[in-house]
Every structure is written in structure tokens, then in C-alpha cells.
Amino acid sequence: MRRLAIVSDIHCAGPGEQAQGRHFEFANAKPSPARTAATLYRDLIWMRNPLGNNALLDDFCTRADGADLIVANGDYTCDVAGTGVSHPEGRESVLLCLGKLRSCFGKKLHAVMGDHELGKVSLLGDHGGLRLESWHRATGECGLKRFWRVEAGNFVLLGVTSTLLGLPMMRADALPSEWATWEALRAEHLDEVRETFAALKPGQRVLLFCHDPSALPHLWREEAVREKIPQIAHTFVGHLHT
């Protein structure tokens, strides 16, 4: 029997992001009813300090000690600037987070790319978004893969990039000059997914890791995936902070 440990939405905050303070999302926003509502939501309902969760990473490393496989299911930065790892502060946080995970678990670790690594419009919608530079840095110096496959007995673990699969939903978040490149990246990713599902053997069972569940309906549209749905044992998502 193998033990699998999963962690998601760590939202580590490196020194640069910590320096922005817990109200970073509203720092440059003009006073408005939306800002007031969002501030109250943060203070009273959900995650009062988005930058205060670093200790949970140490806790996970301790609890997952001895696991045979570790999957990190995306979002390693607080993405204060909203433009992913193209911004030095966001990149610092991702490198810090993944560095600790890699130090703890080595080759047993398999990391999925989250939406905050690539950039995401802010809570108030006044800044941020997808950036191709973030893609290049995420897959380059941060060492994240858009797709990976690991066999464990008769199980096949698959890690996909939800931002690419669900790209049609992200058009408003992307720069018009970069859209064609994003579409080409999505086409390449879909080819990887189709080929992998088509090659599954009858006795193999899939554990699918996808950061944002909003991408799953787009995956369902792929005939090669639908044909093998009975072989998907479990789908693990992040993003929802549940």
C-alpha cells in the first residue's frame, strides 16, 4: 500500500509580499461601496490575513513525513501584484514555497500549476491578470510542469493545468497581444491530455489533479477523456479553499 499526501492553496507569502501588509488588495483602490464590502468580507468572514498562512506549510511537511507520494495542487503565492510569477514578489514566494516542499520531499513531490502562478485579476477587479512572462518563469526557473504523469501500481496520477484547459473563460484577464500564444499553449496541452487518456490500459485507474474545478467541463468536452471516464477513480481539485 502506498500513502499519498495532498496539499493545495498554500498561498505562501515571502518577505516581499509580507511587506505589502494584509490589506494589500485594497491599497491602491479608491474608496467605494465595493471596497467597503470586500474589506468587511475579509475582516469578518473569510481569511482576515491572507499573508498569515506560512506556518501551515511547515505543519504539512511534518504531517506528510513518510508519505510515498506528495502532490501539491497549485497556488503557492499570495500573488499580491495579481500578475503571477512575472512579478518579483510573487516569484519569491513561489520559489520559497516550492523550495521548502522540494527540500522536504525531493523526487516524491509532484506539483500542479495554479492560477495565481500565472496571474489573476484582483478581488476588486482593478488590477492583475494573465501574463505570458509568468508562464515562462513558472515553467522555467520555478520548475512547474503544465502536465505530468506518474504510475503507482495500477493507478496513474495525472496533473493538468486548469488555466489552459479553461482558457476560454480567461480571455478578459489576458492581454490581447498575448492571446494567440495562450491559445497555442492550450492546444498543445489538450494534445497531451488526449494522448494520455487514449493510451490508458483497461486495468489502469486515474487520479486526476486539477487546480481549478471550473476547467473540468472543458475537459469533459474531449472525446478521448469521456471514453475513459469510468477509469477516473478520483478527481482532486484546489482553488476553493475547502
Side-chain angles (χ1 to χ4, degrees):
M1 178 180 289
R2 294 192 180 188
R3 182 182 172 212
L4 171 65
I6 305 168
V7 63
S8 186
D9 296 87
I10 300 168
H11 291 294
C12 183
E17 293 198 313
Q18 290 280 358
Q20 302 302 314
R22 71 180 185 90
H23 287 298
F24 66 88
E25 291 162 304
F26 320 120
N28 298 314
K30 296 179 180 179
S32 68
R35 175 177 171 170
T36 300
T39 303
L40 289 172
Y41 178 67
R42 272 282 190 233
D43 286 347
L44 302 177
I45 300 175
W46 184 70
M47 201 178 296
R48 188 169 188 272
N49 182 10
L51 305 177
N53 298 311
N54 288 7
L56 297 178
L57 176 57
D58 295 322
D59 182 50
F60 172 78
C61 288
T62 299
R63 293 170 63 189
D65 185 40
D68 300 295
L69 290 168
I70 314 293
V71 175
N73 210 9
D75 278 5
Y76 310 104
T77 170
C78 290
D79 194 18
V80 166
T83 53
V85 297
S86 63
H87 195 279
E89 293 172 357
R91 186 162 65 253
E92 178 186 51
S93 296
V94 171
L95 291 172
L96 188 155
C97 182
L98 290 176
K100 179 166 288 190
L101 287 171
R102 287 163 179 159
S103 176
C104 290
F105 304 115
K107 294 182 178 179
K108 296 190 293 185
L109 174 71
H110 303 280
V112 173
M113 198 179 306
D115 51 351
H116 278 290
E117 279 68 73
L118 300 178
K120 186 174 180 180
V121 173
S122 71
L123 182 63
L124 291 177
D126 61 343
H127 68 278
L130 281 176
R131 296 293 183 269
L132 272 179
E133 184 185 349
S134 288
W135 172 265
H136 295 309
R137 289 186 179 274
T139 56
E141 61 201 273
C142 296
L144 291 167
K145 299 177 181 179
R146 70 181 175 196
F147 179 75
W148 50 259
R149 179 184 185 279
V150 176
E151 288 194 22
N154 69 319
F155 285 96
V156 179
L157 284 67
L158 301 178
V160 298
T161 298
S162 58
T163 298
L164 291 182
L165 295 178
L167 188 66
M169 303 181 296
M170 312 294 180
R171 184 151 195 165
D173 294 359
L175 299 176
S177 60
E178 296 181 348
W179 186 249
T181 305
W182 282 114
E183 287 188 309
L185 290 169
R186 181 177 191 261
E188 293 172 2
H189 189 34
L190 284 172
D191 283 343
E192 293 172 323
V193 172
R194 293 181 192 117
E195 291 172 7
T196 299
F197 272 90
L200 286 173
K201 299 173 183 177
Q204 290 180 316
R205 302 279 282 162
V206 172
L207 300 180
L208 179 65
F209 296 88
C210 177
H211 174 72
D212 183 351
S214 301
L216 295 176
H218 295 268
L219 197 59
W220 171 257
R221 295 184 183 121
E222 297 298 319
E223 184 177 354
V225 176
R226 288 200 307 274
E227 289 179 351
K228 300 297 177 68
I229 286 295
Q231 289 180 248
I232 299 179
H234 296 286
T235 299
F236 298 93
V237 301
H239 193 64
L240 304 177
H241 292 206
T242 57

